[in-house]
Amino acid sequence: MQDPLNKKMLYAFGTSIVEGHAAHESFVDDIARAHHMIYHKYAINGATMRVVPNEDPVINIVHQVTQAPKIVPDLIVFDGIANDAYASVTDDPKILGSISTGFADELDTATYCGAFETVCRTLLTKYQGAHPLYITTHKTPARTLATQEKLHDVSLAICRKWSIPVVDLYTQSGFNAFIPAYQHDYSYDKLDADGHNLNAVGGTGTHPNADGYRLFYEPRITAALAAMC
């Protein structure tokens, strides 16, 4: 049977979970190599969705998307949330923002909602004909559950508004790093002795190791990408 992902071009934006943390290897690399895709990762460790004042270097996801090449890929994946999931964001209406009522409204990228909508609108207008896919990442004990829940819910609402499909690993993957065994077995913080994360375990739950990506991320994301081709 023909592989629908074969030779497709993929762009990836977002945080360290898309970029691959210390190993610089993530589900993006695994999926692309397995299906002989052409791919470009623009995700950056520590990136926020919001445009943070005086950010140096500029790593926010709005900047990633606006500065990426204009060549239209076949597929796009992006994430967010992790580096915005703080009470200082979710509990402050001036920083969280709100979902706009239309599709041509002026958007405040200093707010989470405004930045997220800017990313969605930019992907849909800059890369017309491409298929964007939003990835909600797994539950991590590095952030409070309340802040993750709030940004998860508003992010899904924004994706519904902009007709962007979602792979909801936060609620549907079974990967919950608040469970100690999952945190230990499927995440890593530092590279192992061989200089990669293939065998690294015992992380604090934020960054998936190779097994974390392989078991929880790649099957659902691969299926979603294939379904859009």
Side-chain angles (χ1 to χ4, degrees):
M1 186 172 66
Q2 186 175 2
D3 181 357
L5 298 179
N6 185 54
K7 305 300 184 184
K8 292 292 192 293
M9 180 180 287
L10 172 68
Y11 285 179
F13 303 99
T15 71
S16 57
I17 294 176
V18 172
E19 202 283 327
H21 187 44
H24 306 292
E25 295 274 331
S26 74
F27 67 89
V28 176
D29 304 87
D30 290 344
I31 293 171
R33 286 195 291 255
H35 298 273
H36 307 287
M37 302 176 75
I38 303 161
Y39 73 106
H40 303 278
K41 287 194 301 186
Y42 301 103
I44 301 174
N45 290 351
T48 58
M49 185 66 74
R50 297 173 299 124
V51 176
V52 178
N54 303 315
E55 180 182 62
D56 184 22
V58 179
I59 60 174
N60 64 75
I61 300 170
V62 172
H63 183 77
Q64 294 174 25
V65 171
T66 57
Q67 295 301 306
K70 294 181 180 179
I71 298 170
V72 179
D74 299 293
L75 299 157
I76 299 167
V77 294
F78 69 107
D79 78 331
I81 294 181
N83 299 306
D84 292 277
Y86 296 97
S88 59
V89 175
T90 60
D91 295 349
D92 187 341
K94 293 181 179 179
I95 301 179
L96 178 62
S98 59
I99 303 174
S100 64
T101 56
F103 294 93
D105 305 55
E106 183 176 349
L107 300 171
D108 182 1
T109 59
T111 70
Y112 182 83
C113 290
F116 200 113
E117 286 204 77
T118 297
V119 167
C120 292
R121 186 163 69 188
T122 302
L123 291 176
L124 293 172
T125 55
K126 182 176 181 178
Y127 300 123
Q128 295 180 40
H131 298 288
L133 178 68
Y134 179 64
I135 312 297
T136 71
T137 51
H138 65 281
K139 292 180 174 69
T140 169
R143 307 288 184 262
T144 68
L145 193 61
T147 59
Q148 292 178 75
E149 292 275 353
K150 196 162 189 177
L151 292 190
H152 169 272
D153 292 349
V154 74
S155 299
L156 263 59
I158 291 170
C159 287
R160 284 194 297 272
K161 173 185 172 178
W162 289 95
S163 303
I164 291 178
V166 176
V167 171
D168 191 357
L169 301 176
Y170 183 80
T171 61
Q172 298 174 359
S173 69
F175 187 0
N176 181 352
F178 282 91
I179 301 172
Y182 279 66
Q183 178 178 327
H184 177 275
D185 293 347
Y186 301 117
S187 78
Y188 81 110
D189 295 335
K190 298 179 181 180
L191 297 176
D192 62 19
D194 295 324
H196 51 65
N197 75 326
L198 292 178
N199 300 307
V201 295
T204 51
T206 298
H207 301 103
N209 61 16
D211 284 342
Y213 284 127
R214 179 178 58 83
L215 292 175
F216 302 108
Y217 276 68
E218 292 167 23
R220 290 177 177 274
I221 295 171
T222 300
L225 291 173
M228 294 192 293
C229 292

